[in-house]
Amino acid sequence: MYADWVGQLEDTVDDTEWPTVTVPEGEQLFPDDPLYDSEREYAQNVRRVERHKSG
């Protein structure tokens, strides 16, 4: 019974046509150069945030 339900659920998900979502250019959720970036060193992120606050 449970296995049948799981099978039906998997079939339904596989057969579902999921919508494609696009974002118009220039309206993305996150900026190309965010204030905080995990690739930067901590000190660099702090300087950028402080510069943003003061400017």
Side-chain angles (χ1 to χ4, degrees):
M1 181 178 217
Y2 176 74
D4 292 337
W5 178 81
V6 170
Q8 290 174 352
L9 180 63
E10 288 174 345
D11 290 344
T12 300
V13 170
D14 290 342
D15 294 342
T16 301
E17 289 188 33
W18 301 101
T20 302
V21 178
T22 60
V23 177
E25 190 173 327
E27 296 183 22
Q28 67 263 23
L29 183 59
F30 300 108
D32 290 333
D33 189 18
L35 287 176
Y36 176 81
D37 186 346
S38 60
E39 299 293 318
R40 290 190 196 112
E41 292 183 11
Y42 174 77
Q44 291 174 314
N45 283 317
V46 169
R47 278 195 301 272
R48 290 177 63 79
V49 170
E50 291 301 321
R51 201 174 326 136
H52 178 74
K53 281 186 196 177
S54 64

